Amino acid sequence: LNPGDSVMDIRQFLLDAPEMCYFTCYELLLRSKDGETHHLDDYNEISEVADITSGDYSLEMVADRSGLMF
């Protein structure tokens, strides 16, 4: 993960990974070690959200249940 990466770049990377093909509805969260959480919008660059160069951040993929139909 690089500061200049866009959220769409990350989504494309995940889409291209064969083991990820079953996950289609998800949100990406950027979490800091101090507990701060950023919801990542598709058209943001990571550097617009936080300074990840310190290495104090992790990226989390969370199932998006809003698209489920019953």
Side-chain angles (χ1 to χ4, degrees):
L1 189 61
N2 296 305
D5 289 340
S6 71
V7 176
M8 290 301 290
D9 292 337
I10 298 167
R11 287 187 176 274
Q12 186 63 49
F13 174 80
L14 293 172
L15 182 65
D16 292 342
E19 59 273 6
M20 300 301 293
C21 69
Y22 301 105
F23 301 99
T24 56
C25 295
Y26 57 89
E27 292 182 66
L28 292 172
L29 305 177
L30 188 64
R31 296 188 188 271
S32 68
K33 286 185 180 178
D34 66 3
E36 190 177 9
T37 301
H38 301 278
H39 293 267
L40 299 177
D41 294 326
D42 285 343
Y43 298 102
N44 282 358
E45 283 188 6
I46 299 301
S47 61
E48 295 174 28
V49 178
D51 180 15
I52 63 165
T53 57
S54 65
D56 293 336
Y57 287 88
S58 62
L59 186 65
E60 184 177 350
M61 187 171 130
V62 179
D64 180 7
R65 301 193 188 282
S66 65
L68 293 179
M69 301 179 81
F70 296 99

